[in-house]
Amino acid sequence: MISYEKVRQSLKTLNMTVIVLNIIGLVFSVIGIASLYFTLNNEQFKATIPPEQLDVLKQSLSPFNIFMMVISLGLTIAIIVLAFQNRSKIAQDLEINYMPYFLGLGSILLSIVQIFLNQFSLISFAINLALASLYFSSYLKAKTLNEKEDIIDA
């Protein structure tokens, strides 16, 4: 027999973890994008670094990378908003929305594609797999709680 209260507590913790990690990621992304932009517009800085490094910085602001950054920021904001909504739904014992977990898995997929298109990093890949397991286990807990009503009604 499933202890739905333990599942609810576990989902509360997982959902809060999703919120915190996405807020941290959002802050670092905004700081990173802003610093990259201001760095490339600073002539004194450009004069102090080797041309090879300057080319790498310029490549990071390619149209494709800018597009991926905007999509990633949008997904992160949507995940945060939906996860906050789920937080109150969990507390009120309402039906939980799966969308933040699906969006999280989508953002992980985009990140993995970007890892393979740019320089592959085993650490980044491992972090993305850990985040994917967080989103997937959150989804499974939410599904268990949402299906509780069907089992009780049957």
Side-chain angles (χ1 to χ4, degrees):
M1 173 123 184
I2 298 173
S3 170
Y4 289 108
E5 193 53 42
K6 286 185 180 180
V7 173
R8 182 177 322 289
Q9 274 306 116
S10 176
L11 181 58
K12 273 184 183 180
T13 303
L14 290 171
N15 194 60
M16 186 53 71
T17 305
V18 166
I19 291 169
V20 169
L21 290 177
N22 277 287
I23 289 173
I24 291 169
L26 181 66
V27 169
F28 281 128
S29 293
V30 169
I31 290 171
I33 291 169
S35 66
L36 189 61
Y37 176 76
F38 289 122
T39 299
L40 288 176
N41 289 329
N42 184 340
E43 294 302 323
Q44 290 175 338
F45 177 77
K46 285 183 185 180
T48 62
I49 63 170
E52 300 85 24
Q53 287 181 343
L54 188 59
D55 288 340
V56 170
L57 286 174
K58 286 180 180 178
Q59 286 176 359
S60 65
L61 283 178
S62 70
F64 177 73
N65 282 341
I66 292 172
F67 172 75
M68 292 295 279
M69 286 182 223
V70 169
I71 295 294
S72 177
L73 287 175
L75 283 173
T76 302
I77 291 169
I79 291 167
I80 292 168
V81 169
L82 292 171
F84 265 114
Q85 290 174 352
N86 272 355
R87 185 173 175 245
S88 64
K89 288 180 181 181
I90 294 167
Q92 297 172 3
D93 201 18
L94 298 173
E95 185 170 346
I96 300 157
N97 187 358
Y98 301 136
M99 194 54 65
Y101 314 121
F102 290 149
L103 289 175
L105 289 169
S107 73
I108 296 300
L109 184 63
L110 280 176
S111 181
I112 290 174
V113 166
Q114 204 167 16
I115 288 171
F116 282 110
L117 289 177
N118 295 329
Q119 187 173 358
F120 181 79
S121 167
L122 187 59
I123 293 173
S124 296
F125 188 72
I127 290 170
N128 280 303
L129 288 180
L131 288 172
S133 68
L134 170 70
Y135 288 118
F136 188 69
S137 60
S138 298
Y139 161 73
L140 291 177
K141 301 272 186 210
K143 186 177 178 187
T144 301
L145 287 178
N146 284 345
E147 291 175 353
K148 171 184 82 168
E149 304 300 323
D150 297 337
I151 293 170
I152 291 173
D153 292 340

